[in-house]
Coordinates of all heavy atoms in Angstrom, one line a residue:
M1421 N 110.0 136.8 89.7 CA 111.0 136.0 90.4 C 110.9 134.6 89.8 O 109.8 134.0 89.8 CB 110.8 136.0 91.9 CG 111.7 135.1 92.6 SD 111.6 135.2 94.4 CE 110.5 133.8 94.7
T1422 N 112.0 134.0 89.4 CA 112.0 132.6 88.9 C 112.1 131.7 90.1 O 112.8 131.9 91.1 CB 113.2 132.4 88.0 OG1 113.2 133.4 87.0 CG2 113.2 131.0 87.4
T1423 N 111.2 130.6 90.1 CA 111.2 129.7 91.2 C 111.8 128.3 90.9 O 112.0 127.6 91.9 CB 109.8 129.5 91.7 OG1 109.0 128.9 90.6 CG2 109.1 130.8 92.1
N1424 N 112.1 128.0 89.7 CA 112.6 126.7 89.4 C 111.6 125.6 89.8 O 112.0 124.5 90.3 CB 113.9 126.4 90.0 CG 115.0 127.3 89.4 OD1 115.1 127.4 88.2 ND2 115.7 128.0 90.2
L1425 N 110.3 125.8 89.7 CA 109.3 124.9 90.0 C 109.5 123.6 89.2 O 109.4 122.5 89.8 CB 107.9 125.4 89.7 CG 106.7 124.5 90.0 CD1 106.7 124.2 91.5 CD2 105.4 125.1 89.6
G1426 N 109.8 123.7 88.0 CA 110.0 122.5 87.1 C 111.1 121.6 87.7 O 111.0 120.4 87.7
R1427 N 112.2 122.3 88.1 CA 113.4 121.5 88.6 C 113.0 120.8 89.9 O 113.3 119.6 90.1 CB 114.5 122.4 88.8 CG 115.8 121.7 89.3 CD 117.0 122.7 89.3 NE 118.1 122.0 89.8 CZ 119.2 122.6 90.3 NH1 119.2 123.9 90.4 NH2 120.2 121.9 90.8
A1428 N 112.2 121.4 90.7 CA 111.8 120.8 92.0 C 110.9 119.6 91.7 O 111.0 118.6 92.3 CB 111.1 121.9 92.9
I1429 N 109.9 119.8 90.8 CA 109.0 118.7 90.4 C 109.9 117.5 89.9 O 109.6 116.4 90.3 CB 108.0 119.1 89.3 CG1 107.0 120.1 90.0 CG2 107.3 117.9 88.7 CD1 106.1 120.8 88.9
R1430 N 110.8 117.8 89.0 CA 111.6 116.7 88.5 C 112.4 116.0 89.6 O 112.5 114.7 89.6 CB 112.6 117.3 87.5 CG 113.5 116.2 86.8 CD 114.4 116.8 85.7 NE 115.1 115.8 85.0 CZ 116.3 115.3 85.4 NH1 116.8 115.7 86.6 NH2 116.9 114.4 84.8
L1431 N 113.0 116.7 90.5 CA 113.8 116.1 91.6 C 112.9 115.2 92.5 O 113.3 114.1 92.9 CB 114.5 117.1 92.4 CG 115.7 117.8 91.7 CD1 116.2 119.0 92.4 CD2 116.8 116.8 91.5
V1432 N 111.7 115.7 92.8 CA 110.8 114.9 93.6 C 110.3 113.7 92.8 O 110.3 112.6 93.4 CB 109.6 115.8 94.1 CG1 108.6 114.9 94.8 CG2 110.0 116.9 94.9
R1433 N 110.0 113.9 91.6 CA 109.6 112.7 90.7 C 110.6 111.7 90.7 O 110.4 110.5 90.9 CB 109.2 113.2 89.3 CG 108.8 112.1 88.4 CD 108.5 112.6 87.0 NE 109.5 113.3 86.3 CZ 110.6 112.8 85.7 NH1 110.8 111.5 85.8 NH2 111.5 113.5 85.1
L1434 N 111.9 112.1 90.4 CA 113.0 111.1 90.4 C 113.2 110.5 91.7 O 113.6 109.3 91.7 CB 114.3 111.8 89.9 CG 114.2 112.3 88.4 CD1 115.5 113.1 88.1 CD2 114.0 111.1 87.5
S1435 N 113.1 111.2 92.8 CA 113.3 110.6 94.1 C 112.2 109.5 94.4 O 112.4 108.6 95.2 CB 113.2 111.6 95.2 OG 111.9 112.1 95.4
K1436 N 111.1 109.6 93.7 CA 110.0 108.5 93.8 C 110.2 107.5 92.7 O 109.3 106.6 92.6 CB 108.7 109.2 93.6 CG 108.3 110.2 94.7 CD 107.9 109.6 95.9 CE 107.3 110.6 96.8 NZ 106.6 110.0 98.0
N1437 N 111.3 107.5 91.9 CA 111.5 106.6 90.9 C 110.4 106.5 89.9 O 109.9 105.4 89.5 CB 111.8 105.1 91.4 CG 113.1 105.1 92.2 OD1 114.1 105.7 91.8 ND2 113.1 104.5 93.3
M1438 N 109.9 107.7 89.5 CA 108.7 107.8 88.6 C 109.2 108.4 87.3 O 109.9 109.4 87.3 CB 107.7 108.6 89.3 CG 106.3 108.6 88.6 SD 105.1 109.7 89.4 CE 104.8 108.7 90.9
R1439 N 108.7 107.9 86.2 CA 108.9 108.4 84.9 C 107.9 109.5 84.6 O 106.8 109.6 85.2 CB 108.9 107.3 83.8 CG 109.9 106.2 84.1 CD 109.7 105.1 83.1 NE 108.3 104.6 83.2 CZ 107.7 103.8 82.3 NH1 108.4 103.4 81.3 NH2 106.5 103.4 82.5
Q1440 N 108.2 110.4 83.6 CA 107.3 111.4 83.2 C 106.0 110.8 82.7 O 104.9 111.3 83.1 CB 107.9 112.3 82.1 CG 108.9 113.3 82.6 CD 109.5 114.1 81.5 OE1 109.4 113.8 80.3 NE2 110.1 115.3 81.9
C1441 N 106.1 109.7 82.0 CA 104.8 109.1 81.5 C 104.0 108.6 82.7 O 102.7 108.6 82.6 CB 105.1 108.0 80.5 SG 106.1 106.7 81.0
D1442 N 104.6 108.1 83.7 CA 103.8 107.6 84.9 C 103.1 108.8 85.6 O 102.0 108.7 85.9 CB 104.8 106.9 85.9 CG 105.5 105.7 85.4 OD1 104.9 105.0 84.5 OD2 106.7 105.5 85.8
L1443 N 103.9 109.9 85.7 CA 103.3 111.1 86.4 C 102.1 111.6 85.5 O 101.1 112.0 86.0 CB 104.3 112.2 86.6 CG 103.9 113.4 87.2 CD1 103.3 113.2 88.6 CD2 105.1 114.4 87.3
A1444 N 102.3 111.6 84.2 CA 101.3 112.1 83.3 C 100.0 111.2 83.4 O 98.9 111.7 83.5 CB 101.8 112.1 81.9
E1445 N 100.2 109.9 83.4 CA 99.1 109.0 83.5 C 98.3 109.2 84.8 O 97.1 109.3 84.8 CB 99.6 107.6 83.3 CG 98.5 106.6 83.4 CD 99.0 105.1 83.3 OE1 100.0 104.9 82.5 OE2 98.4 104.3 83.9
K1446 N 99.0 109.3 85.9 CA 98.4 109.4 87.2 C 97.7 110.8 87.4 O 96.8 110.9 88.2 CB 99.4 109.1 88.3 CG 99.8 107.6 88.3 CD 100.8 107.3 89.3 CE 101.1 105.9 89.3 NZ 102.1 105.5 90.3
T1447 N 98.2 111.8 86.8 CA 97.6 113.2 86.9 C 96.6 113.5 85.9 O 95.8 114.5 86.0 CB 98.7 114.3 86.9 OG1 99.4 114.2 85.6 CG2 99.7 114.1 88.0
G1448 N 96.6 112.8 84.8 CA 95.7 113.1 83.7 C 96.3 114.2 82.8 O 95.6 114.8 81.9
L1449 N 97.6 114.6 83.0 CA 98.2 115.6 82.2 C 99.0 114.9 81.1 O 99.3 113.8 81.2 CB 99.2 116.5 83.1 CG 98.5 117.1 84.3 CD1 99.6 117.7 85.2 CD2 97.5 118.2 83.8
S1450 N 99.4 115.7 80.1 CA 100.1 115.1 79.0 C 101.6 115.0 79.3 O 102.1 115.8 80.0 CB 99.9 115.8 77.7 OG 100.5 117.1 77.7
V1451 N 102.3 114.1 78.7 CA 103.7 114.0 78.8 C 104.4 115.2 78.3 O 105.3 115.7 79.0 CB 104.3 112.7 78.2 CG1 105.8 112.7 78.2 CG2 103.7 111.4 78.8
P1452 N 104.1 115.7 77.2 CA 104.7 117.0 76.7 C 104.6 118.1 77.7 O 105.5 118.9 77.9 CB 104.1 117.3 75.4 CG 103.6 116.0 74.9 CD 103.2 115.2 76.1
Y1453 N 103.4 118.3 78.3 CA 103.1 119.3 79.2 C 104.0 119.2 80.5 O 104.6 120.1 80.9 CB 101.6 119.3 79.6 CG 101.2 120.4 80.6 CD1 101.3 121.7 80.2 CD2 100.7 120.1 81.8 CE1 100.9 122.8 81.0 CE2 100.2 121.1 82.7 CZ 100.4 122.4 82.3 OH 99.9 123.4 83.1
I1454 N 104.1 117.9 81.0 CA 105.0 117.7 82.2 C 106.4 118.0 81.8 O 107.1 118.6 82.6 CB 104.9 116.2 82.6 CG1 103.4 115.8 83.0 CG2 105.9 115.8 83.6 CD1 103.1 115.9 84.4
C1455 N 106.8 117.6 80.6 CA 108.2 117.9 80.2 C 108.5 119.3 80.1 O 109.5 119.8 80.6 CB 108.4 117.2 78.8 SG 110.1 117.4 78.1
L1456 N 107.6 120.1 79.5 CA 107.8 121.6 79.4 C 107.8 122.2 80.8 O 108.6 123.1 81.1 CB 106.7 122.2 78.6 CG 106.7 121.9 77.1 CD1 105.5 122.4 76.4 CD2 108.0 122.5 76.5
I1457 N 106.9 121.7 81.7 CA 106.9 122.3 83.1 C 108.3 122.0 83.7 O 108.9 122.9 84.4 CB 105.8 121.7 83.9 CG1 104.4 122.2 83.4 CG2 106.0 122.0 85.4 CD1 103.3 121.4 84.0
E1458 N 108.8 120.8 83.6 CA 110.0 120.4 84.3 C 111.2 121.2 83.7 O 112.2 121.4 84.4 CB 110.3 118.9 84.2 CG 109.4 118.1 85.1 CD 109.7 116.6 85.1 OE1 110.7 116.2 84.4 OE2 109.1 115.9 85.9
Q1459 N 111.1 121.5 82.5 CA 112.2 122.3 81.8 C 112.0 123.8 82.1 O 112.8 124.6 81.6 CB 112.3 122.0 80.3 CG 112.6 120.6 80.0 CD 112.5 120.3 78.5 OE1 112.2 121.2 77.7 NE2 112.8 119.1 78.1
D1460 N 111.0 124.2 82.9 CA 110.7 125.6 83.1 C 110.5 126.4 81.8 O 110.8 127.6 81.7 CB 111.7 126.2 84.0 CG 111.7 125.8 85.4 OD1 110.6 125.7 86.0 OD2 112.7 125.5 86.0
K1461 N 109.9 125.7 80.8 CA 109.6 126.3 79.6 C 108.1 126.7 79.5 O 107.7 127.3 78.5 CB 110.0 125.4 78.4 CG 111.5 125.2 78.2 CD 111.8 124.4 77.0 CE 113.3 124.3 76.8 NZ 113.7 123.4 75.7
R1462 N 107.4 126.2 80.4 CA 105.9 126.4 80.5 C 105.5 126.6 81.9 O 105.9 125.9 82.8 CB 105.2 125.3 79.8 CG 103.7 125.3 79.9 CD 103.1 125.6 78.5 NE 101.7 125.9 78.6 CZ 100.8 125.2 78.0 NH1 101.1 124.1 77.4 NH2 99.5 125.5 78.1
D1463 N 104.7 127.6 82.2 CA 104.2 127.8 83.5 C 103.0 126.9 83.7 O 102.2 126.7 82.9 CB 103.7 129.3 83.7 CG 104.8 130.3 83.7 OD1 105.9 129.9 84.2 OD2 104.6 131.4 83.3
A1464 N 103.0 126.2 84.9 CA 102.0 125.3 85.2 C 100.8 126.0 85.8 O 101.0 126.9 86.6 CB 102.5 124.2 86.2
K1465 N 99.6 125.6 85.5 CA 98.4 126.1 86.2 C 98.4 125.5 87.6 O 99.0 124.5 87.8 CB 97.1 125.6 85.5 CG 97.0 126.2 84.1 CD 95.7 125.7 83.5 CE 95.5 126.3 82.1 NZ 94.3 125.8 81.4
F1466 N 97.8 126.3 88.5 CA 97.8 125.9 89.9 C 97.1 124.5 90.0 O 97.6 123.7 90.8 CB 97.2 126.9 90.8 CG 97.5 126.6 92.3 CD1 98.7 126.8 92.8 CD2 96.4 126.1 93.1 CE1 99.0 126.5 94.1 CE2 96.7 125.8 94.4 CZ 97.9 126.0 94.9
S1467 N 96.1 124.3 89.3 CA 95.4 123.0 89.3 C 96.3 121.9 88.9 O 96.2 120.8 89.5 CB 94.1 123.0 88.5 OG 94.4 123.3 87.1
A1468 N 97.2 122.1 88.0 CA 98.1 121.1 87.6 C 99.1 120.8 88.7 O 99.5 119.7 88.9 CB 98.8 121.5 86.3
I1469 N 99.6 121.9 89.3 CA 100.6 121.7 90.4 C 99.9 120.9 91.5 O 100.6 120.0 92.1 CB 101.0 123.1 90.9 CG1 101.8 123.8 89.8 CG2 101.9 123.0 92.2 CD1 102.1 125.3 90.2
E1470 N 98.7 121.2 91.8 CA 98.0 120.4 92.9 C 97.9 118.9 92.5 O 98.1 118.1 93.4 CB 96.6 121.0 93.1 CG 96.6 122.3 93.8 CD 95.2 122.9 94.0 OE1 94.4 122.9 93.1 OE2 95.0 123.4 95.2
K1471 N 97.6 118.6 91.3 CA 97.5 117.2 90.8 C 98.8 116.6 90.9 O 98.9 115.4 91.4 CB 97.0 117.2 89.4 CG 95.6 117.5 89.2 CD 95.2 117.4 87.7 CE 93.8 117.9 87.4 NZ 93.5 117.9 86.0
I1472 N 99.9 117.3 90.5 CA 101.2 116.7 90.5 C 101.6 116.4 92.0 O 102.2 115.4 92.3 CB 102.2 117.7 89.8 CG1 102.0 117.7 88.3 CG2 103.7 117.3 90.2 CD1 102.7 118.8 87.6
C1473 N 101.4 117.4 92.9 CA 101.7 117.2 94.3 C 101.0 116.0 94.9 O 101.5 115.3 95.7 CB 101.4 118.5 95.1 SG 102.6 119.8 94.7
E1474 N 99.7 115.9 94.5 CA 98.9 114.8 95.1 C 99.5 113.5 94.7 O 99.7 112.6 95.5 CB 97.5 114.9 94.6 CG 96.6 113.8 95.1 CD 95.1 114.0 94.7 OE1 94.7 115.1 94.3 OE2 94.4 113.0 94.6
V1475 N 99.9 113.3 93.4 CA 100.4 112.1 92.9 C 101.8 111.8 93.5 O 102.2 110.7 93.9 CB 100.5 112.1 91.4 CG1 101.4 110.9 90.8 CG2 99.1 112.0 90.8
L1476 N 102.6 112.9 93.7 CA 104.0 112.7 94.2 C 103.9 112.6 95.8 O 105.0 112.3 96.4 CB 104.8 113.9 93.8 CG 105.2 114.0 92.3 CD1 106.0 115.3 92.1 CD2 105.9 112.8 91.8
G1477 N 102.8 112.9 96.4 CA 102.7 112.7 97.8 C 103.4 113.8 98.6 O 104.0 113.5 99.7
I1478 N 103.4 115.0 98.1 CA 104.1 116.1 98.8 C 103.1 117.3 98.9 O 102.3 117.5 97.9 CB 105.3 116.5 98.0 CG1 106.1 117.6 98.7 CG2 105.1 116.9 96.6 CD1 107.5 118.0 98.2
P1479 N 103.0 117.9 100.0 CA 102.1 119.1 100.1 C 102.5 120.2 99.1 O 103.7 120.4 98.9 CB 102.3 119.6 101.5 CG 102.8 118.4 102.3 CD 103.7 117.6 101.3
T1480 N 101.5 120.8 98.5 CA 101.7 121.9 97.5 C 102.7 122.9 98.1 O 103.6 123.3 97.4 CB 100.4 122.5 97.1 OG1 99.6 121.4 96.6 CG2 100.6 123.5 96.0
F1481 N 102.4 123.4 99.3 CA 103.3 124.4 99.9 C 104.7 124.0 100.0 O 105.6 124.8 99.8 CB 102.7 124.9 101.2 CG 103.2 124.1 102.4 CD1 104.3 124.4 103.1 CD2 102.4 123.0 102.8 CE1 104.7 123.6 104.2 CE2 102.8 122.2 103.9 CZ 104.0 122.5 104.6
M1482 N 104.9 122.7 100.2 CA 106.3 122.2 100.4 C 107.0 122.2 99.1 O 108.2 122.6 99.0 CB 106.3 120.8 101.0 CG 107.6 120.4 101.5 SD 108.3 121.4 102.9 CE 107.3 120.9 104.2
L1483 N 106.3 121.8 98.0 CA 106.9 121.9 96.7 C 107.3 123.3 96.3 O 108.4 123.6 95.8 CB 106.0 121.2 95.6 CG 106.6 121.2 94.2 CD1 107.8 120.2 94.1 CD2 105.5 120.9 93.2
L1484 N 106.4 124.2 96.5 CA 106.6 125.6 96.2 C 107.8 126.2 97.0 O 108.6 127.0 96.5 CB 105.3 126.5 96.4 CG 104.2 126.1 95.5 CD1 102.9 126.8 95.9 CD2 104.5 126.3 94.0
L1485 N 107.8 125.8 98.3 CA 108.9 126.2 99.1 C 110.3 125.7 98.6 O 111.2 126.4 98.5 CB 108.7 125.8 100.6 CG 109.8 126.1 101.6 CD1 109.9 127.6 101.7 CD2 109.4 125.5 102.9
M1486 N 110.2 124.4 98.3 CA 111.4 123.8 97.7 C 111.9 124.5 96.4 O 113.1 124.7 96.3 CB 111.1 122.3 97.5 CG 112.3 121.5 97.1 SD 111.7 119.7 97.0 CE 113.1 119.0 96.2
A1487 N 110.9 124.8 95.6 CA 111.2 125.4 94.3 C 111.8 126.8 94.6 O 112.8 127.2 93.9 CB 110.0 125.6 93.5
S1488 N 111.3 127.6 95.5 CA 111.9 128.9 95.8 C 113.3 128.8 96.4 O 114.1 129.7 96.1 CB 111.0 129.7 96.8 OG 111.0 129.1 98.1
Q1489 N 113.6 127.7 97.1 CA 114.9 127.6 97.7 C 115.9 127.2 96.6 O 117.1 127.5 96.8 CB 114.9 126.5 98.8 CG 114.0 126.9 100.0 CD 114.3 128.3 100.5 OE1 115.4 128.6 100.8 NE2 113.3 129.1 100.6
V1490 N 115.5 126.6 95.6 CA 116.5 126.2 94.5 C 117.1 127.5 94.0 O 118.3 127.6 93.8 CB 115.7 125.5 93.3 CG1 116.6 125.4 92.1 CG2 115.2 124.2 93.7
N1491 N 116.3 128.5 93.8 CA 116.8 129.8 93.2 C 117.5 130.6 94.3 O 118.6 131.1 94.1 CB 115.7 130.6 92.6 CG 116.2 131.7 91.7 OD1 117.1 131.5 91.0 ND2 115.6 132.8 91.8
L1492 N 116.9 130.7 95.5 CA 117.4 131.6 96.5 C 118.7 131.2 97.1 O 119.6 132.0 97.3 CB 116.3 131.7 97.7 CG 116.7 132.6 98.8 CD1 116.8 134.0 98.4 CD2 115.6 132.4 99.9
L1493 N 118.9 129.9 97.3 CA 120.1 129.4 98.0 C 121.0 128.8 97.0 O 122.1 128.3 97.4 CB 119.7 128.4 99.1 CG 118.8 129.0 100.2 CD1 118.4 127.9 101.1 CD2 119.5 130.1 100.9
E1494 N 120.7 128.7 95.7 CA 121.5 128.1 94.7 C 122.0 126.7 95.1 O 123.2 126.4 95.1 CB 122.7 129.0 94.3 CG 122.2 130.3 93.7 CD 123.3 131.2 93.3 OE1 124.5 130.7 93.2 OE2 123.1 132.3 93.1
F1495 N 121.0 125.8 95.6 CA 121.3 124.5 95.9 C 121.9 123.7 94.7 O 121.5 123.9 93.6 CB 120.1 123.7 96.4 CG 119.7 124.0 97.8 CD1 119.8 125.2 98.4 CD2 119.1 123.0 98.5 CE1 119.4 125.4 99.7 CE2 118.7 123.2 99.8 CZ 118.8 124.4 100.4
N1496 N 122.8 122.8 95.0 CA 123.2 121.9 93.9 C 122.3 120.7 94.0 O 121.5 120.6 94.9 CB 124.7 121.5 94.1 CG 125.0 120.8 95.4 OD1 124.2 120.1 95.9 ND2 126.2 121.0 95.8
Q1497 N 122.4 119.8 93.0 CA 121.5 118.7 93.0 C 121.5 117.8 94.2 O 120.5 117.4 94.7 CB 121.8 117.8 91.7 CG 120.9 116.6 91.6 CD 120.3 116.5 90.3 OE1 120.3 117.5 89.5 NE2 119.6 115.4 90.0
R1498 N 122.7 117.6 94.8 CA 122.8 116.8 96.0 C 122.1 117.4 97.1 O 121.4 116.7 97.9 CB 124.3 116.6 96.3 CG 124.6 115.7 97.5 CD 126.1 115.5 97.6 NE 126.3 114.9 98.9 CZ 127.3 115.1 99.7 NH1 128.3 115.9 99.2 NH2 127.5 114.6 100.8
S1499 N 122.2 118.7 97.3 CA 121.5 119.3 98.4 C 120.0 119.3 98.2 O 119.3 119.1 99.2 CB 122.0 120.8 98.5 OG 123.3 120.9 98.8
L1500 N 119.5 119.4 97.0 CA 118.1 119.3 96.7 C 117.6 117.9 97.0 O 116.5 117.8 97.6 CB 117.8 119.7 95.3 CG 117.7 121.2 95.0 CD1 117.7 121.5 93.6 CD2 116.5 121.8 95.8
M1501 N 118.4 116.9 96.6 CA 117.9 115.5 96.9 C 117.9 115.3 98.4 O 117.0 114.6 98.9 CB 118.8 114.5 96.2 CG 118.7 114.6 94.7 SD 117.0 114.3 94.1 CE 116.9 112.5 94.3
S1502 N 118.8 115.9 99.1 CA 118.9 115.8 100.6 C 117.6 116.5 101.2 O 117.0 115.9 102.1 CB 120.1 116.4 101.1 OG 120.1 116.4 102.5
L1503 N 117.3 117.6 100.6 CA 116.1 118.4 101.1 C 114.9 117.5 100.8 O 114.0 117.4 101.7 CB 116.0 119.7 100.4 CG 114.8 120.6 100.7 CD1 114.7 120.9 102.2 CD2 114.9 121.9 99.9
A1504 N 114.8 117.0 99.6 CA 113.6 116.2 99.3 C 113.5 115.0 100.2 O 112.4 114.7 100.7 CB 113.7 115.7 97.8
K1505 N 114.6 114.3 100.4 CA 114.6 113.1 101.3 C 114.2 113.5 102.7 O 113.3 112.9 103.4 CB 116.0 112.5 101.4 CG 116.0 111.2 102.2 CD 117.4 110.6 102.3 CE 117.4 109.3 103.1 NZ 116.6 109.2 104.3
T1506 N 114.7 114.6 103.2 CA 114.3 115.1 104.6 C 112.9 115.4 104.6 O 112.2 115.1 105.6 CB 115.2 116.4 104.9 OG1 116.5 116.0 104.8 CG2 114.8 116.9 106.3
I1507 N 112.3 116.1 103.6 CA 110.9 116.4 103.6 C 110.1 115.1 103.6 O 109.2 115.0 104.4 CB 110.6 117.2 102.3 CG1 111.1 118.6 102.5 CG2 109.0 117.3 102.1 CD1 111.1 119.5 101.2
F1508 N 110.4 114.1 102.8 CA 109.6 112.9 102.7 C 109.7 112.1 104.0 O 108.8 111.5 104.4 CB 110.0 112.0 101.5 CG 109.7 112.6 100.2 CD1 110.6 112.7 99.2 CD2 108.4 113.2 99.9 CE1 110.3 113.3 98.0 CE2 108.1 113.7 98.7 CZ 109.1 113.8 97.7
D1509 N 110.9 112.1 104.6 CA 111.1 111.4 105.9 C 110.3 112.0 107.0 O 110.0 111.3 108.0 CB 112.6 111.4 106.3 CG 113.4 110.5 105.3 OD1 112.8 109.7 104.6 OD2 114.6 110.6 105.4
N1510 N 110.0 113.3 106.9 CA 109.3 114.0 108.0 C 107.9 114.4 107.8 O 107.2 114.9 108.7 CB 110.1 115.2 108.4 CG 111.5 114.9 109.0 OD1 111.5 114.4 110.1 ND2 112.5 115.0 108.3
I1511 N 107.3 114.1 106.6 CA 106.0 114.6 106.3 C 105.0 113.9 107.3 O 104.1 114.6 107.8 CB 105.6 114.2 104.9 CG1 106.2 115.3 103.9 CG2 104.1 114.2 104.7 CD1 105.9 115.0 102.5
G1512 N 105.2 112.7 107.6 CA 104.2 112.0 108.5 C 104.3 112.6 109.9 O 103.4 112.4 110.7
E1513 N 105.4 113.2 110.3 CA 105.6 113.8 111.6 C 105.1 115.2 111.7 O 105.4 115.9 112.7 CB 107.0 113.7 112.0 CG 107.5 112.2 112.1 CD 109.0 112.2 112.3 OE1 109.6 113.2 112.8 OE2 109.6 111.1 112.0
Q1514 N 104.6 115.8 110.6 CA 104.1 117.2 110.6 C 105.3 118.1 110.9 O 105.2 119.0 111.7 CB 102.9 117.4 111.5 CG 101.7 116.6 111.2 CD 101.1 117.0 109.9 OE1 101.0 118.2 109.5 NE2 100.6 116.0 109.1
A1515 N 106.4 117.8 110.4 CA 107.6 118.6 110.7 C 107.5 120.1 110.2 O 106.8 120.4 109.3 CB 108.8 118.0 109.9
D1516 N 108.1 120.9 111.0 CA 108.1 122.4 110.7 C 109.0 122.6 109.5 O 110.1 122.1 109.4 CB 108.7 123.1 111.9 CG 108.8 124.6 111.7 OD1 107.8 125.2 111.2 OD2 109.8 125.1 112.1
A1517 N 108.5 123.4 108.5 CA 109.2 123.6 107.3 C 110.6 124.3 107.5 O 111.6 124.0 106.9 CB 108.4 124.5 106.3
T1518 N 110.6 125.2 108.5 CA 111.9 125.9 108.8 C 112.9 124.9 109.3 O 114.1 124.9 109.0 CB 111.7 126.9 109.9 OG1 110.6 127.8 109.5 CG2 112.9 127.7 110.2
Q1519 N 112.5 123.9 110.2 CA 113.4 122.9 110.7 C 113.9 122.0 109.5 O 115.1 121.7 109.5 CB 112.7 122.0 111.7 CG 112.5 122.7 113.0 CD 111.7 121.8 114.0 OE1 111.0 120.9 113.6 NE2 111.8 122.2 115.3
L1520 N 113.0 121.7 108.6 CA 113.5 120.9 107.5 C 114.5 121.6 106.6 O 115.5 121.0 106.2 CB 112.2 120.5 106.6 CG 111.2 119.6 107.2 CD1 110.0 119.5 106.3 CD2 111.8 118.2 107.5
L1521 N 114.3 122.8 106.3 CA 115.2 123.6 105.5 C 116.5 123.8 106.3 O 117.6 123.6 105.7 CB 114.6 125.0 105.1 CG 113.5 124.9 104.1 CD1 112.9 126.3 103.9 CD2 114.1 124.4 102.8
N1522 N 116.5 124.1 107.6 CA 117.7 124.2 108.3 C 118.5 123.0 108.3 O 119.7 123.0 108.2 CB 117.4 124.7 109.8 CG 117.0 126.1 109.8 OD1 117.3 126.9 108.9 ND2 116.3 126.5 110.9
H1523 N 117.8 121.8 108.5 CA 118.5 120.5 108.5 C 119.2 120.3 107.1 O 120.3 119.9 107.0 CB 117.5 119.4 108.8 CG 118.1 118.1 108.7 ND1 119.0 117.5 109.6 CD2 118.0 117.1 107.7 CE1 119.3 116.3 109.2 NE2 118.7 116.0 108.1
A1524 N 118.5 120.6 106.0 CA 119.0 120.4 104.7 C 120.2 121.3 104.4 O 121.2 120.9 103.8 CB 117.9 120.5 103.7
I1525 N 120.1 122.5 104.9 CA 121.2 123.5 104.6 C 122.4 123.1 105.4 O 123.5 123.3 104.9 CB 120.7 124.9 105.0 CG1 119.6 125.4 104.1 CG2 121.9 125.9 105.1 CD1 118.9 126.6 104.5
T1526 N 122.3 122.6 106.6 CA 123.5 122.3 107.4 C 124.2 120.9 107.0 O 125.2 120.6 107.5 CB 123.2 122.3 108.9 OG1 122.1 121.3 109.1 CG2 122.7 123.6 109.3
E1527 N 123.5 120.1 106.2 CA 124.1 118.8 105.8 C 125.2 119.0 104.8 O 125.3 119.9 104.0 CB 123.1 117.9 105.2 CG 122.2 117.3 106.3 CD 121.4 116.2 105.7 OE1 121.3 115.9 104.5 OE2 120.8 115.5 106.6

């Protein structure tokens, strides 16, 4: 099953106004590796995903959930950005993932 993990990483990164080189520097990963992951041309190691999530400030499970929803629900970019914003707005409140997704889907 394709998850579009790279697309989800890119959207979260852009929502944080971060460049690939900034993400690479903060994670210790190379820019070409980040680029290949975002283009879904290279599978990321789980340790790399954890580093990326830590730098982006998003729980790993939330990024993976977001990535699976890209494919499953065929979100367009606007919907994904809405989902990312909703997630970031509610992380501090320990929001239920189902509620976040339902909110994003109904917008």
